[in-house]
Amino acid sequence: MARIVVDVMLKPEILDPQGKAIANELPRIGLKNFTDVRQGKRFELTVEGEVTEELLAQAREAATELLSNPVIEDVVNVEALED
């Protein structure tokens, strides 16, 4: 079975309190080189057979119509997942 990955991120102008909370906690566990964290969502869509351009187009449609909220989020990636 093949998979298509869809990544959705908050738009840059939208506040990300969870990402900020994570960024604030990183130094506490000794990781001091990260200056910012933005959180997003990842979806994996499983399909029968190989991933075709038609399936990728359908995944893009699902991403914009169902998997993301276009008011506050951007679909930043839709691609076939290599095994």
Side-chain angles (χ1 to χ4, degrees), residues 2-77:
R3 289 179 288 168
I4 298 171
V5 173
V6 175
D7 295 314
V8 175
M9 294 293 296
L10 288 171
K11 291 185 176 199
E13 64 271 20
I14 301 297
L15 295 176
D16 181 0
Q18 188 169 358
K20 186 155 183 76
I22 293 167
N24 290 339
E25 289 299 312
L26 288 173
R28 189 182 63 75
I29 63 171
L31 302 174
K32 303 179 187 305
N33 294 317
F34 302 102
T35 60
D36 192 24
V37 175
R38 299 285 291 176
Q39 80 162 20
K41 298 185 283 190
R42 173 185 168 125
F43 300 90
E44 292 186 8
L45 308 173
T46 303
V47 299
E48 295 285 339
E50 293 185 23
V51 175
T52 63
E53 284 302 318
E54 180 181 358
L55 287 173
L56 284 172
Q58 290 178 11
R60 287 184 194 98
E61 182 177 349
T64 57
E65 297 292 325
L66 182 65
L67 304 178
S68 66
N69 177 345
V71 175
I72 62 170
E73 297 172 321
D74 291 323
V75 176
V76 296
N77 183 45

